[in-house]
Amino acid sequence: GAGVSQSPSNKVTEKGKDVELRCDPISGHTALYWYRQRLGQGLEFLIYFQGNSAPDKSGLPSDRFSAERTGESVSTLTIQRTQQEDSAVYLCASSFDPSTYNEQFFGPGTRLTVL
Amino acid sequence: AQSVTQLGSHVSVSEGALVLLRCNYSSSVPPYLFWYVQYPNQGLQLLLKYTTGATLVKGINGFEAEFKKSETSFHLTKPSAHMSDAAEYFCAVTRGTSYDKVIFGPGTSLSVIP
C-alpha cells in the first residue's frame, strides 16, 4: 500500500510481558517517528530516526522502551516488562524530507492494552 | 523550550456555525506550523501547514488558519461547520531550529451539534 502501516492493530498483554510493535513507513521516506497517545491526551514524542544518523531517543520514557530501524525501512518499537501505564495507542509516522518542512504521514496506530 | 497550547480541550458548535480552534505557541525562532485532524478510529492526517509566505493558509475541507507572529498564534477556522468535521484537532510546531522535529499540542475535540 501507499501509506504507513502498523502491526498489530491491537495488542493485549499481561503486565510484565515484552511486546514488539512494527511500523512500515512509506517507501522513500527517510524520517520515521514513534509517538504515544494516551486516552484523551495529545501525542507524546518517543523517538525519531533520520537516515543513517543516530536516533533521537530523547522522548523514550524509560529504559524499558527501545526502538530499531533497518536502513530506511521497517522499525520496531519494543517495550520490555510492560506496565499498565504503558497502555496507549502507539503511532508511527514517516516523512520524506524533514530538512525542508515536516509533513508527517501517520499510520493507523497500535492500541496496546496491558492488563 | 518550544511548546504548543490549545485553548479548550473540547469545543461544541452547531451545524452551520463558525468553527474556531485556538492554538498558541512559544518559539524562539520562526517556526513551521501545522494542523492535523484525527477522525474517529482513523490515523492523523495533515489539514494545513504554514511554512513561509502568505500568512493565511487554506487546507482541506474548507479549513483555514492564519499565522500571526505578533500574537504567536495559529488559530484554525471554518465558516460553516459540518457534521463530518467532528474530530480531534492537533496543532503542531517545529521544534527549535530543526525543522525535522515537531511538537504537538494536546488536541481539541470538536463536536458538531445538529
Side-chain angles (χ1 to χ4, degrees):
Chain A
V4 177
S5 61
Q6 293 185 245
S7 61
S9 55
N10 280 284
K11 177 71 176 179
V12 180
T13 190
E14 294 180 348
K15 177 181 174 181
K17 300 284 189 181
D18 297 352
V19 295
E20 272 194 4
L21 313 180
R22 177 187 169 107
C23 172
D24 283 89
I26 294 173
S27 178
H29 280 195
T30 60
L32 186 146
Y33 308 77
W34 282 99
Y35 295 91
R36 178 169 69 180
Q37 185 179 24
R38 290 191 164 120
L39 185 64
Q41 299 186 22
L43 276 69
E44 177 185 4
F45 166 77
L46 296 178
I47 189 169
Y48 159 64
F49 296 91
Q50 169 52 35
N52 295 318
S53 301
D56 178 350
K57 304 180 181 180
S58 60
L60 295 179
S62 78
D63 59 8
R64 296 187 295 106
F65 287 72
S66 63
E68 294 183 349
R69 187 182 186 193
T70 306
E72 294 185 350
S73 60
V74 172
S75 175
T76 56
L77 176 69
T78 301
I79 308 174
Q80 296 178 309
R81 305 181 301 283
T82 52
Q83 304 294 312
Q84 289 183 334
E85 63 261 27
D86 299 334
S87 295
V89 175
Y90 289 83
L91 294 168
C92 174
S94 69
S95 66
F96 174 65
D97 184 5
S99 63
T100 55
Y101 69 85
N102 193 24
E103 177 175 353
Q104 298 183 26
F105 294 82
F106 283 81
T110 293
R111 182 175 299 278
L112 175 65
T113 303
V114 182
L115 302 177
Chain B
Q2 283 75 23
S3 66
V4 180
T5 57
Q6 292 183 239
L7 184 62
S9 60
H10 187 89
V11 171
S12 291
V13 299
S14 298
E15 191 174 16
L18 172 71
V19 176
L20 171 60
L21 304 182
R22 299 178 186 274
C23 173
N24 288 86
Y25 67 92
S26 66
S27 177
S28 57
V29 296
Y32 291 164
L33 296 151
F34 311 85
W35 275 99
Y36 283 84
V37 60
Q38 186 177 30
Y39 296 106
N41 301 314
Q42 296 186 29
L44 278 79
Q45 62 183 92
L46 183 68
L47 196 57
L48 51 77
K49 64 181 184 289
Y50 169 78
T51 54
T52 59
T55 56
L56 180 64
V57 293
K58 296 184 184 299
I60 59 173
N61 301 334
F63 283 93
E64 61 183 36
E66 186 171 11
F67 169 53
K68 292 187 177 181
K69 184 178 178 181
S70 61
E71 299 178 6
T72 61
S73 69
F74 191 57
H75 302 330
L76 182 70
T77 60
K78 182 175 180 178
S80 177
H82 191 273
M83 295 298 293
S84 61
D85 295 327
E88 189 84 17
Y89 291 81
F90 295 92
C91 181
V93 59
T94 47
R95 182 157 61 113
T97 56
S98 298
Y99 293 125
D100 56 351
K101 299 172 186 173
V102 174
I103 298 173
F104 284 82
T108 296
S109 177
L110 175 67
S111 298
V112 182
I113 304 166

